[in-house]
């Protein structure tokens, strides 16, 4: 029996097509992961491709892991060793690590996270104003995603403001080079630039990869698109899978124009549409189709399903946010009682994180278990960042941010004045802080007594460095934690309960680190680079807990739930006021579309008559998107069919009357 027998005709066509560039337009719930995994199995099992010549690239570790698992099951009888299923950032890291010299980096370069980036920009700006720092960081990020160097950014700056940001970018870039470090955006920007400027690298990677598959193509930015183009080369043997109706990341540089660009750059582009939805009922899809029809179309498609008509979409007005949260939780409890469902079948989705508070309170009042998406990542906890600072420094002595954190945690009697003098020595000599410790200038400036704990610390790091490449990562980390007395220091810092909780986190991290080292056959140096790209929540393989999911619409993309409550569907919230002012209404409509298509069986929308804004009560209007969902939605108090015949504008008028 053919590997592709389980696919529907368009899915099968997409899996079999190998004659050039292919765009698979995969509507919500249309089985896109299935197409990608079956195509991988088909390439290896029936077309004789070596696994190591295939790369499947996606956006999150979770999606990559799911794809890897499903591809492995399909190719059980075949050796798939070497198959690359990875994220864009991990692919970039793999390339940079291999060809670091071309980018003037040593292979053990550090990867800085967003907190490190903000710290560097804060020092350049000499300010702690979080908003100003964020503005600069996001401007630099957008330039990197557009493949603009600091010089190009300065050249194209349209006003003094942009020129000032371009100069910050230039200093930021120079700082990263001095630290032998890259940030997340560089992991894609640098490989794309290297492939562009070095023909031998381009040939090497194009010959190595014979077929590239890209998931969530609509979320790519210019740098990611150029990386794909350079990897695919003239053969253009790639499969891009995406949905223009789910492009919701324009604010962070993703460009739905990449779909249009694909058609321009590859006139021979084959397009296959997946329109059969395996997730939602007809009523939900009808509303989704009606909504998204208000956006101009690059490619026409209409989702359909044979899962039956389903329940009407409910619209619930509420007096204010407290009433809204209580009504939703009461409905959820009553629905669960009637239908004997599980908590994990329900999701409450909203536009902004601030909306979660009232729902958390209402759920806690009723003792309903819930899980909040996008909470603090395990890796953002202070104690985990402390341990990672040591690992980063062992991997790369030039990593100054890691040096400062590690040398002062636990405290070693090294004060701010000593570090400031060391910083001056390092700046004068143009070397890292670590290297400066061993200079004669440091002895002269700082004095032997104050320099002694610094020297002792650096010797300890050097000893660890010498062992890191050959000894098991987990054992080395355990020994290091013991040597620095981290557990005792935590209990000195905090009360018993808090310290125990933080030490438990460190133990959990150490156990995970040891397991990952064994499973992936990686030493401490290799694992340390990988850590920057993983959030531990994605790294755990546990099933989602049996709890109601609270999530922003952005974080819910790619997920599905039996029953969805889409809350705060009001003007100025969804669509967001700023987005409307900036001409991004179409992206907000796509965000609403993503919310609607998360639901399998039932969908309930809510809005408030008024909300508190800084102690005042402000009147709210239902979102224009409710009207755009079409005729088949049920307003409160309406007979099931009376409402279906009302026109959209009549229904919006009825909603406003209820609020009035």
């Amino acid at each position: 029996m053919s590997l592709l027998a389980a696919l529907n005709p368009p899915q099968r066509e997409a899996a079999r097509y190998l004659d050039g560039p292919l765009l698979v337009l995969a509507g919500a719930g249309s089985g896109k992961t299935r197409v990608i995994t079956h195509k991988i199995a088909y390439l290896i099992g029936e077309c004789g491709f070596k696994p190591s010549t295939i790369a499947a690239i996606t956006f999150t570790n979770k999606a990559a892991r799911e794809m890897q698992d499903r591809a492995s099951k399909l190719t059980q009888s075949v050796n798939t060793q070497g198959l690359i299923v990875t994220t864009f950032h991990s692919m970039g890291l793999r390339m940079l690590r291999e060809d670091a010299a071309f980018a003037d980096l040593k292979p053990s370069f550090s990867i800085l996270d967003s907190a490190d980036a903000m710290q560097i920009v804060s020092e350049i700006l000499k300010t702690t104003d979080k908003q100003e720092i964020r503005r600069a960081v996001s401007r630099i990020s957008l330039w990197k995603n557009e493949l603009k160097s600091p010089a190009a950014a300065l050249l194209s700056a349209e006003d003094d403001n942009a020129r000032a940001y371009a100069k910050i970018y230039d200093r930021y870039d120079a700082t990263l080079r001095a630290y032998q470090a890259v940030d997340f955006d560089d992991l894609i920007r640098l490989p794309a630039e290297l492939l562009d400027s070095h023909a031998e690298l381009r040939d090497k990677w194009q010959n190595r990869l014979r077929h590239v598959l890209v998931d969530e193509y609509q979320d790519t930015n210019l740098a990611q698109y150029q990386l794909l183009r350079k990897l695919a080369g003239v053969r253009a043997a790639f499969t891009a899978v995406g949905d223009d109706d789910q492009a919701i990341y324009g604010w962070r540089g993703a460009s739905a124009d990449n779909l249009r660009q694909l058609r321009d750059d590859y006139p021979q582009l084959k397009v296959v549409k997946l329109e059969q939805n395996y997730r939602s009922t007809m009523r939900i899809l009808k509303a989704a189709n009606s909504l998204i029809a208000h956006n101009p179309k690059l490619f026409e498609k209409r989702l359909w399903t044979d899962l039956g008509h389903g329940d009407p979409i409910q619209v619930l007005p509420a007096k204010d946010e407290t009433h809204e949260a209580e009504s939703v939780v009461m409905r959820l409890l009553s629905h669960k009682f009637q239908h004997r469902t599980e908590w994990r079948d329900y999701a409450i989705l909203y536009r902004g994180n601030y909306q979660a508070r009232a729902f958390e309170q209402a759920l806690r009042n009723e003792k309903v278990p819930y899980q909040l998406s996008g909470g603090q990542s395990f890796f953002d906890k202070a104690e985990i960042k402390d341990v990672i600072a040591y690992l980063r420094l062992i991997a790369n002595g030039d990593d100054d941010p890691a040096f400062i954190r590690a040398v002062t945690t636990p405290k070693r009697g090294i004060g701010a004045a000593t570090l400031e003098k060391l910083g001056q020595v390092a700046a004068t000599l143009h070397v890292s802080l670590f290297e400066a410790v061993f200079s004669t200038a440091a002895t002269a400036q700082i004095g032997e007594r104050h320099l002694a704990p610094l020297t002792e610390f650096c010797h300890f790091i050097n000893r660890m460095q010498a062992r890191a490449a050959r000894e098991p990562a987990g054992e080395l980390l355990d020994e290091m934690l013991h040597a620095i007395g981290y557990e005792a220091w935590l209990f000195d810092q905090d009360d018993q309960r808090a310290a125990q909780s933080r030490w438990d986190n460190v133990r959990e991290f150490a156990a995970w680190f040891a397991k990952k080292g064994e499973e992936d056959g990686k030493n401490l140096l290799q694992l340390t680079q990988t850590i920057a790209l993983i959030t531990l929540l994605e790294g755990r393989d546990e099933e989602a807990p049996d709890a109601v999911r609270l999530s922003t619409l952005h974080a819910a993309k790619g997920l599905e739930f039996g029953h969805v409550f889409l809350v705060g569907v009001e003007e100025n919230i969804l669509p967001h006021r700023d987005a409307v002012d900036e001409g991004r209404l179409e992206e907000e409509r796509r965000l609403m579309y993503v919310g609607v298509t998360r639901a399998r069986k039932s969908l309930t929308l809510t809005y408030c008559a008024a909300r508190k804004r800084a102690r005042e009560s402000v009147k709210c209007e239902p979102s224009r998107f409710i009207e755009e969902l079409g005729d088949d939605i049920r307003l409160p108090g309406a007979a099931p069919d009376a409402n279906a015949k009302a026109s959209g504008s009549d229904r919006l008028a009825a909603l406003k009357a209820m609020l009035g």
Side-chain angles (χ1 to χ4, degrees):
M1 190 170 126
S2 163
L3 267 171
L4 308 182
L7 304 183
N8 68 31
Q11 288 174 335
R12 199 172 305 129
E13 183 184 11
R16 294 172 83 146
Y17 187 78
L18 299 176
D19 295 336
L22 169 68
L23 172 62
V24 181
L25 278 178
S30 64
K32 68 185 175 67
T33 308
R34 198 172 193 202
V35 168
I36 295 171
T37 51
H38 276 77
K39 184 153 194 166
I40 292 169
Y42 179 70
L43 287 167
I44 298 168
E46 295 193 16
C47 305
F49 278 72
K50 279 192 188 145
S52 58
T53 65
I54 300 166
I57 306 175
T58 184
F59 276 82
T60 66
N61 296 319
K62 184 169 175 281
R65 218 175 23 257
E66 184 193 346
M67 213 177 274
Q68 179 91 53
D69 291 348
R70 285 167 68 172
S72 300
K73 285 194 182 94
L74 286 171
T75 51
Q76 268 176 337
S77 54
V78 188
N79 178 5
T80 57
Q81 205 175 354
L83 173 67
I84 301 168
V85 182
T86 188
T87 63
F88 265 108
H89 291 94
S90 298
M91 186 70 203
L93 171 60
R94 180 186 288 245
M95 296 170 74
L96 265 189
R97 202 186 268 147
E98 212 172 291
D99 298 311
F102 286 89
D104 297 323
L105 289 168
K106 55 187 182 188
S108 60
F109 59 84
S110 294
I111 301 167
L112 303 187
D113 64 14
S114 52
D116 295 317
M118 285 185 69
Q119 185 58 43
I120 292 167
V121 170
S122 163
E123 283 162 16
I124 292 168
L125 287 171
K126 301 199 173 10
T127 180
T128 53
D129 178 346
K130 283 267 197 321
Q131 240 181 330
E132 184 50 46
I133 295 165
R134 267 199 200 96
R135 270 197 290 271
V137 167
S138 99
R139 193 72 188 256
I140 291 168
S141 176
L142 288 173
W143 273 324
K144 287 190 176 194
N145 290 338
E146 290 167 0
L147 296 176
K148 274 191 179 164
S149 65
L154 193 57
L155 209 60
S156 64
E158 62 282 0
D159 54 29
D160 289 347
N161 198 20
R163 270 188 289 281
Y165 281 129
K167 285 172 182 162
I168 295 164
Y169 177 17
D170 190 40
R171 289 188 56 193
Y172 173 79
D173 206 45
T175 306
L176 257 59
R177 283 202 303 275
Y179 291 167
Q180 278 285 304
V182 299
D183 62 18
F184 282 161
D185 297 316
D186 289 330
L187 289 174
I188 290 154
R189 174 182 77 114
L190 291 173
E193 286 175 354
L194 292 178
L195 291 184
D196 196 40
S197 52
H198 294 86
E200 69 269 44
L201 277 190
R202 205 161 51 241
D203 291 345
K204 175 180 113 172
W205 284 98
Q206 286 175 3
N207 287 327
R208 186 181 297 183
L209 298 178
R210 311 304 286 182
H211 201 96
V212 181
L213 302 101
V214 177
D215 189 15
E216 302 287 10
Y217 176 77
Q218 77 284 347
D219 294 336
T220 53
N221 56 38
L222 179 66
Q224 286 159 335
Y225 176 54
Q226 290 304 339
L227 183 60
L228 169 65
R229 281 198 70 194
K230 298 289 180 249
L231 285 173
V234 287
R235 276 200 321 278
F238 68 79
T239 302
V241 182
D243 181 5
D244 47 337
D245 292 333
Q246 293 188 71
I248 57 172
Y249 291 115
W251 51 277
R252 67 175 191 204
S255 174
D257 273 353
N258 282 350
L259 285 158
R260 190 175 289 110
Q261 195 63 45
L262 210 51
R263 242 185 355 194
D264 297 345
D265 290 342
Y266 298 99
Q268 78 279 35
L269 181 73
K270 166 94 170 162
V271 178
V272 174
K273 297 179 193 178
L274 305 184
E275 295 170 298
Q276 182 174 0
N277 173 290
Y278 293 93
R279 176 187 299 158
S280 309
T281 63
M282 198 57 236
R283 264 185 165 128
I284 290 167
L285 293 186
K286 192 176 164 196
N289 285 332
S290 169
L291 171 76
I292 207 65
H294 290 80
N295 272 0
K297 278 285 193 259
L298 193 56
F299 300 96
E300 276 303 330
K301 71 172 184 316
R302 273 188 88 74
L303 297 180
W304 61 276
T305 185
D306 52 17
L307 294 178
H309 212 49
D311 298 336
I313 293 170
Q314 305 278 349
V315 180
L316 293 181
K319 290 201 292 286
D320 55 29
E321 53 266 65
T322 308
H323 179 223
E324 177 184 44
E326 286 168 355
S327 308
V328 164
V329 173
M330 282 306 140
R331 269 194 172 238
L332 191 155
L333 286 167
S334 135
H335 188 279
K336 184 177 187 299
F337 179 72
Q338 280 178 322
H339 298 273
R340 305 203 181 285
T341 46
E342 296 184 301
W343 295 118
R344 63 163 66 87
D345 294 328
Y346 299 89
I348 299 171
L349 308 181
Y350 36 78
R351 176 66 177 81
N353 275 313
Y354 68 93
Q355 291 167 267
R357 204 168 299 122
F359 291 94
E360 284 196 77
Q361 188 64 57
L363 289 162
R364 275 201 300 268
N365 290 348
E366 299 301 326
K367 302 196 170 31
V368 173
Y370 66 87
Q371 183 188 24
L372 199 60
S373 277
Q376 188 191 34
S377 155
F378 189 84
F379 279 136
D380 285 338
K381 293 180 189 293
E383 58 273 21
I384 305 301
K385 293 193 88 149
D386 289 343
V387 177
I388 290 172
Y390 277 88
L391 299 176
R392 273 172 42 182
L393 191 59
I394 291 166
N396 171 17
D398 293 325
D399 189 335
D400 281 3
F403 178 90
I404 290 164
R405 186 162 193 142
V407 82
T408 54
T409 318
K411 297 272 185 286
R412 292 180 173 77
I414 298 165
T418 302
L419 283 174
E420 201 173 321
K421 283 180 188 165
L422 182 66
Q424 287 160 0
V425 172
T428 309
L429 298 176
H430 301 294
V431 296
S432 67
L433 293 170
F434 192 94
E435 206 174 319
V437 170
F438 297 105
S439 66
T440 48
T443 316
Q445 293 262 54
I446 297 168
E448 280 185 26
R449 189 166 65 83
H450 288 111
L451 196 60
L454 279 170
T455 314
E456 190 187 332
F457 171 77
C458 291
H459 281 313
F460 168 69
I461 296 294
N462 276 335
R463 287 195 299 277
M464 284 284 165
Q465 251 169 358
R467 298 164 57 192
R470 55 177 195 272
E471 295 188 27
E475 288 174 25
L476 212 54
L477 175 56
D478 282 341
E479 193 181 317
M480 185 197 86
L481 288 169
H482 182 69
I484 65 174
Y486 192 75
E487 181 182 8
W489 179 75
L490 279 179
F491 280 89
D492 285 345
Q493 295 291 105
D494 257 326
D495 63 62
Q496 179 81 18
R497 202 159 150 205
Q500 189 60 55
S501 162
R502 293 178 68 189
W503 179 242
D504 288 346
N505 287 336
V506 172
R507 296 303 314 144
E508 184 181 345
F509 171 75
W512 171 85
F513 193 78
K515 181 169 173 253
K516 192 108 181 102
E518 277 176 38
E519 281 176 359
D520 298 358
K522 286 183 174 168
N523 63 34
L524 184 141
L525 307 174
Q526 294 163 326
L527 273 180
T528 299
Q529 277 187 331
T530 316
I531 283 176
L533 303 184
I534 301 168
T535 63
L536 198 67
L537 293 175
E538 289 188 338
R540 291 176 182 145
D541 293 326
E542 295 158 21
E543 205 184 325
D546 186 19
V548 173
R549 178 72 69 101
L550 292 183
S551 173
T552 61
L553 288 163
H554 283 101
K557 187 162 169 287
L559 304 176
E560 56 180 72
F561 306 92
H563 310 282
V564 169
F565 292 89
L566 187 43
V567 301
V569 189
E570 295 150 35
E571 288 296 308
N572 299 329
I573 293 182
L574 184 63
H576 195 281
R577 181 194 287 114
D578 294 351
V580 175
D581 293 347
E582 292 162 17
R584 290 187 288 112
L585 179 64
E586 287 171 22
E587 183 160 323
E588 290 293 294
R589 189 176 282 114
R590 293 195 289 267
L591 194 55
M592 174 81 175
Y593 175 83
V594 165
V596 170
T597 54
R598 295 315 89 201
R600 287 201 297 264
K601 295 175 181 167
S602 78
L603 175 65
T604 304
L605 313 177
T606 68
Y607 61 89
C608 293
R611 278 183 190 273
K612 279 204 179 64
R613 294 256 197 289
R615 297 192 184 174
E616 274 182 56
S617 184
V618 179
K619 274 192 74 170
C620 304
E621 288 206 0
S623 167
R624 67 192 81 185
F625 295 154
I626 296 177
E627 179 188 343
E628 293 176 1
L629 289 169
D631 299 337
D632 196 12
I633 64 172
R634 184 180 294 175
L635 297 178
D641 295 316
N643 177 56
K645 296 184 180 62
S647 75
S649 48
D650 290 346
R651 287 197 347 277
L652 196 61
L655 286 176
K656 287 181 179 173
M658 274 179 229
L659 286 175

